[in-house]
Amino acid sequence: MRLLGRLFLAFTAATVCLPTAGAAAATVAPTPVIRADFPDPDVIQVGSTFYAYSTSSRPGRIPAASAPSATGPWTVRGDALPAKPSWAGDGGFWAPDVSRLPDGRYLMYFTGPSTATGRMCVGAATSANPLGPFQPAGGSPLVCDADEGGDIDPSSFVDTDGKRYLLYKNDGNAVGRPTILWLQQVAADGVTFVGGRTELIRDDRPEEAGVIEAPVLVKRPSQYVLFYSGGSYIGNTYFTGYAVSPSLTGRYTKAYRPLMTTATFDGAVQGPGGTDVLGDRAFFHGWVGDARHLYTAALGWAGDYPVVRGSRVRYEAERGTLNRATVRTGAAGASQGAVVAKIDHADSWVDVRVFAPVAGAYTAHVAYAAGYGDAQHLVTVNGTTRFTLDYPDRGWDNWTQVRAPLTLNAGWNTLRLQHRTRWAELDHIEIA
């Protein structure tokens, strides 16, 4: 995995006042903006109004909501797809996606139960209004291959050249076959296929447990970023990952670590998935009891890689800029097997460059080992704020995290960790 950004050297002057870590506020975790069942959200903005759509729940086949801002207040408005398609049977409708067509109409992709195949398939509907009612388009699904398990989780993407595409998943995990995320070019109407489809990624990681789904594609200046969900949606092992490619059709490379998990949110969101991206916000669901509520969080781009506020991002200390210190490889139990060692002198330090989507309160989780008594580092943030970070003696190669509340600027920030007392080695820093 390419790490987020390059690391550089910063000069830190001596300090007199040395407070301990803890003076700043803690991490800002996402909180639900719709506190009701609203899974697999899709969000669009029309003028100054935001609209959201979800998998079937009590309000209807495709519940719709609106709000004056991304953070709310959100109001559930009812069913955007009251008329069932002629090809569909009874059952839930999943993971809608709404986009605007060149003629001003709104196009909805959705997943519905096909009576002909007994599988879930991708359909389409249109409306003149973002809240509907959407009218089903055609008498058959857009994509419906029973041999590959059916097809689900559609989403739309329009590239910078104006060409439109449909992304979706073949539901291979339902029939013991590979799960693949596909890209299909469509005409301006969104429902006429152009050429054949292209495989983007498939399930090939242990944490995915044979399931990847919910594709959403974003074009950044240097690359395409494909967001997806992985694992079983029914519990807190569900997560959001991403893959990147310099070209639309790939090859896509998955990130080394997921973007959002229950653990990266320190349990504040359970099973974050079904993620959609709109501007500088990520929208996703998380389990609260027996329902999946809608969350949103600030989204930033660190060298065209996504960073979500409140979700930990790991920066390896050994990839930082070192002064009178060394990289030790083969470190037992360390992240990626390497650490910064011999931070033993007054002028020994490591600079680590970290990213904040927006300015404000964050928490650094510093992974260290100390085995010859309690140690300390002097931490400097962007060359000004300074405090002392304590490392209790837990033994060498026993990698332990200590917390350091920080106030960061929007964008890139430089943390310097400099020798103060005794000796500690550094493995990594996670910023949430």
Side-chain angles (χ1 to χ4, degrees):
M1 173 188 175
R2 289 174 56 191
L3 295 196
L4 305 179
R6 295 184 175 87
L7 304 166
F8 69 95
L9 175 67
F11 175 76
T12 303
T15 182
V16 176
C17 181
L18 302 177
T20 58
T27 297
V28 175
T31 56
V33 292
I34 294 183
R35 297 177 180 270
D37 201 31
F38 206 86
D40 305 316
D42 176 72
V43 181
I44 64 170
Q45 183 178 359
V46 180
S48 61
T49 302
F50 291 77
Y51 298 91
Y53 311 86
S54 86
T55 283
S56 296
S57 63
R58 183 172 296 177
R61 185 171 290 115
I62 300 292
S66 64
S69 73
T71 56
W74 285 90
T75 302
V76 178
R77 300 295 184 182
D79 191 351
L81 187 66
K84 185 173 67 175
S86 60
W87 53 264
D90 295 328
F93 282 61
W94 303 344
D97 173 274
V98 174
S99 62
R100 199 161 196 180
L101 295 172
D103 64 7
R105 293 178 302 149
Y106 295 88
L107 171 69
M108 176 188 288
Y109 293 133
F110 58 85
T111 305
S114 165
T115 55
T117 66
R119 295 292 177 189
M120 299 297 285
C121 298
V122 173
T126 58
S127 173
N129 188 297
L131 288 175
F134 283 81
Q135 299 297 323
S140 61
L142 285 182
V143 190
C144 192
D145 187 338
D147 289 340
E148 62 184 19
D151 302 280
I152 69 172
D153 290 1
S155 70
S156 58
F157 172 70
V158 179
D159 208 347
T160 51
D161 61 4
K163 292 180 180 178
R164 181 178 287 268
Y165 297 86
L166 163 68
L167 294 95
Y168 64 91
K169 163 202 173 179
N170 75 277
D171 206 12
N173 51 282
V175 292
R177 295 189 59 181
T179 300
I180 300 171
L181 302 186
W182 298 96
L183 178 76
Q184 171 67 61
Q185 187 179 349
V186 293
D189 62 6
V191 296
T192 302
F193 286 6
V194 177
R197 66 183 183 176
T198 300
E199 176 180 336
L200 300 184
I201 58 173
R202 63 174 61 200
D203 63 295
D204 57 8
R205 295 274 185 88
E207 66 270 20
E208 294 164 355
V211 180
I212 58 171
E213 54 195 18
V216 168
L217 192 59
V218 173
K219 176 66 169 67
R220 297 295 302 168
S222 67
Q223 62 187 0
Y224 293 83
V225 182
L226 176 64
F227 295 83
Y228 67 95
S229 298
S232 173
Y233 80 94
I234 62 174
N236 64 9
T237 60
Y238 203 51
F239 68 88
T240 296
Y242 70 92
V244 299
S245 170
S247 66
L248 174 63
T249 55
R251 176 175 183 261
Y252 282 81
T253 302
K254 293 178 182 177
Y256 182 76
R257 303 176 76 228
L259 179 66
M260 298 186 291
T261 69
T262 301
T264 65
F265 278 124
D266 291 307
V269 183
Q270 299 288 312
T275 300
D276 192 26
V277 172
L278 180 63
D280 60 358
R281 307 294 303 185
F283 297 86
F284 47 95
H285 70 237
W287 285 100
V288 179
D290 60 355
R292 287 170 285 173
H293 292 185
L294 173 64
Y295 292 79
T296 186
L299 173 69
W301 295 94
D304 289 339
Y305 292 86
V307 178
V308 174
R309 190 177 193 188
S311 180
R312 295 192 189 197
V313 177
R314 179 172 295 184
Y315 303 86
E316 298 292 334
E318 68 273 12
R319 296 177 183 265
T321 301
L322 279 58
N323 189 74
R324 210 175 177 190
T326 62
V327 174
R328 180 168 72 88
T329 58
S335 172
Q336 300 193 30
V339 300
V340 178
K342 297 185 179 179
I343 315 171
D344 298 344
H345 311 281
D347 59 348
S348 295
W349 44 255
V350 56
D351 278 357
V352 179
R353 205 171 174 221
V354 303
F355 187 86
V358 295
Y362 292 81
T363 301
H365 303 263
V366 181
Y368 77 97
Y372 291 149
D374 296 349
Q376 292 179 321
H377 280 166
L378 170 63
V379 181
T380 306
V381 183
N382 295 325
T384 55
T385 303
R386 299 174 178 85
F387 59 87
T388 298
L389 189 58
D390 297 318
Y391 302 124
D393 183 344
R394 299 283 190 263
W396 295 115
D397 284 340
N398 181 18
W399 304 104
T400 305
Q401 288 191 351
V402 291
R403 294 163 57 93
L406 307 170
T407 299
L408 299 178
N409 300 327
W412 289 104
N413 298 258
T414 300
L415 307 183
R416 173 169 291 186
L417 295 95
Q418 184 170 356
H419 176 269
R420 181 158 175 78
T421 64
R422 302 189 72 84
W423 309 279
E425 295 182 340
L426 294 178
D427 182 8
H428 62 263
I429 299 171
E430 292 179 346
I431 301 294

